[in-house]
Amino acid sequence: MFISSAFAQTAPAAAEGGLMGSLTGMLPLVLMFVVLYFIMIRPQMKRQKEHRAMIDALAKGDEIVTSGGLLGKVSRMGEGFVHLEVAEGVEVQIQRSAVAQVLPKGTLK
């Protein structure tokens, strides 16, 4: 009997600050998402955009490094694949997305 009347007395007090209390309670969650966006998501999207531009700019004769560490010169190009000459007469076919870096001309001898 005492417990039910105590709950009834405190219910209107909680309803008065309901909107402001819920906004204040969500503020840390919103701030965490904003910080996460600027620290992790935005830089990752920038790196993806740079990688896509590098892959689109590949040309025959470019010297590249693959994500597996293979070095070679681009000998032929296809829609989704690149033929990489790793040694005289040795050609390997790799996916375009496996290209990790384009080296300056003359790096490989």
Side-chain angles (χ1 to χ4, degrees):
M1 180 164 160
F2 293 112
I3 295 175
S4 62
S5 63
F7 281 131
Q9 290 177 356
T10 58
E16 289 176 13
L19 179 66
M20 202 59 152
S22 65
L23 288 177
T24 305
M26 289 182 60
L27 185 64
L29 183 64
V30 171
L31 286 174
M32 284 176 24
F33 181 75
V34 168
V35 168
L36 180 75
Y37 176 78
F38 281 108
I39 290 178
M40 293 180 69
I41 297 172
R42 193 164 175 236
Q44 179 64 27
M45 289 181 357
K46 183 179 176 186
R47 269 186 248 117
Q48 284 177 344
K49 186 177 177 182
E50 290 171 353
H51 188 257
R52 194 174 310 119
M54 179 190 64
I55 289 174
D56 291 340
L58 276 179
K60 184 178 176 181
D62 283 345
E63 297 172 353
I64 62 172
V65 178
T66 66
S67 57
L70 200 62
L71 283 83
K73 188 179 287 192
V74 176
S75 60
R76 288 187 291 163
M77 296 182 62
E79 189 67 30
F81 294 94
V82 173
H83 291 264
L84 188 64
E85 186 177 338
V86 293
E88 188 73 29
V90 179
E91 212 171 85
V92 178
Q93 183 178 8
I94 62 167
Q95 290 182 335
R96 280 182 171 245
S97 60
V99 175
Q101 183 179 7
V102 177
L103 299 172
K105 296 274 187 203
T107 303
L108 301 175
K109 302 256 174 175

